Amino acid sequence: MNNEKPIIRRKSKRIYVGTVPIGDEAPISVQSMTNTCTNNVNATVRQIESLKNAGADIVRISVPHIDTAKAFNLIKQKVNIPLIADIHFDYRIALKVAEYGADCLRINPGNIGNEKRIRMVVDCAKYNNIPIRIGVNSGSLEKDLINKYLKPTPEALVESAMRHVNYLDRFNFDQFKVSVKASTVSLAVQSYRLLAKKIDQPLHIGITESGSIRNGTVKSSIGIGILLSEGIGDTIRVSLAANPIEEIKIGFDILNSLNLRSRGVNFIACPTCSRQEFDVIGTVNELEKRLDDISTPMDVSIIGCIVNGPGEAAISTIGLTGGNKKSSIYEDGLRSKDKIDNNDIINQLEIRIRNKALKINQNIYSKISLLKK
């Protein structure tokens, strides 16, 4: 049983991106962004479906040109997951994708022209009941702010964000969320801390342009983890120079590690030593590949010897403790009379984990059926 104190989340306003609630203690949503050419409708739809299957709650699509809006329209008709249209500079694109059913506009009001154009976009968002995300990045701060602060600072990012917020406040529009991302962990964390004290809108958090899958995962986990542990953040994106599906997986791993949300198998495995009775590393890596399709939350401990094995197994859904030639298996903390031959651990564990996932799902459906009655 987990005895950790729950994280006290920052109070924020509730908005909706499509049917997905954001803020006001709603489950922290995980999102990613397509990296296909938006005009390649079929490739983009395939990637969106892959992201959805990986667990994505929301997907963002870049709409760089007015003619790309037509492709967005076709994509929107082919998928059933909320889509955010990412727009810069051209207010006409925002008007067009709103007409086509975008679930959210990622746009900075201050960079799409004069106040008349900003009002047109806000009025369109109001009419279509579409929220806006104000997205400030350290790499694209306004020139006057760079001149004022000499470099990107937390104060500069927050001042930029508040400029855009003030536009929306002026037009009596409160259906928006805000991000102040930076590629430097400390800069992003300090910026979000400052912004969280100034507004009660939902915050989209992440470390922008964090890098390769290894370096980016480390930076994102630290930055996003710090903020979430302080109760800051209502929706997240892990930005990686990698397959966007990895962003979703790592996002859920971060949430799971903080007991904020669970999805799929959480493997607990020892780093191995000379006491191991089987190939722990090979076993865990292979099972992670084979069980990638399971979305049912469960903890699976795979420990190579009896030092920590029984203790980890006692608090896992499925647990394996290494033994000479045969290893002990546990389910819900109870040790089975049967043992698994060390030469067939991967196959046997896969069967047991899949069967357990099926049982868990059946129990959930049964409870839901009883509640409906």
Side-chain angles (χ1 to χ4, degrees), residues 28-39:
I28 295 169
S29 58
V30 180
Q31 58 182 273
S32 182
M33 186 173 184
T34 57
N35 59 15
T36 54
C37 174
T38 304
N39 283 330

Side-chain angles (χ1 to χ4, degrees), residues 96-163:
K96 187 58 68 174
V97 295
E99 175 189 333
Y100 290 151
D103 296 290
C104 181
L105 304 176
R106 190 282 193 191
I107 190 167
N108 289 345
N111 72 12
I112 59 172
N114 57 40
E115 191 163 307
K116 180 181 177 181
R117 291 177 176 179
I118 298 170
R119 182 181 285 277
M120 289 174 66
V121 172
V122 173
D123 287 345
C124 181
K126 280 184 182 179
Y127 179 80
N128 290 284
N129 196 28
I130 301 171
I132 289 173
R133 171 161 81 90
I134 294 171
V136 174
N137 277 0
S138 60
S140 56
L141 280 174
E142 296 94 321
K143 289 182 180 179
D144 67 306
L145 292 177
I146 292 296
N147 290 335
K148 178 180 178 179
Y149 293 97
L150 303 180
K151 64 179 181 179
T153 66
E155 293 77 12
L157 266 69
V158 172
E159 184 171 336
S160 176
M162 293 308 298
R163 284 182 179 179

Side-chain angles (χ1 to χ4, degrees), residues 265-278:
V265 180
N266 173 41
F267 286 103
I268 300 161
C270 61
T272 76
C273 66
S274 62
R275 288 192 298 266
Q276 68 174 333
E277 299 288 353
F278 63 93

Side-chain angles (χ1 to χ4, degrees), residues 362-373:
Q362 287 174 340
N363 288 336
I364 292 171
Y365 294 143
S366 296
K367 290 178 181 178
I368 292 173
S369 297
L370 287 173
L371 287 173
K372 287 181 177 179
K373 291 179 180 180

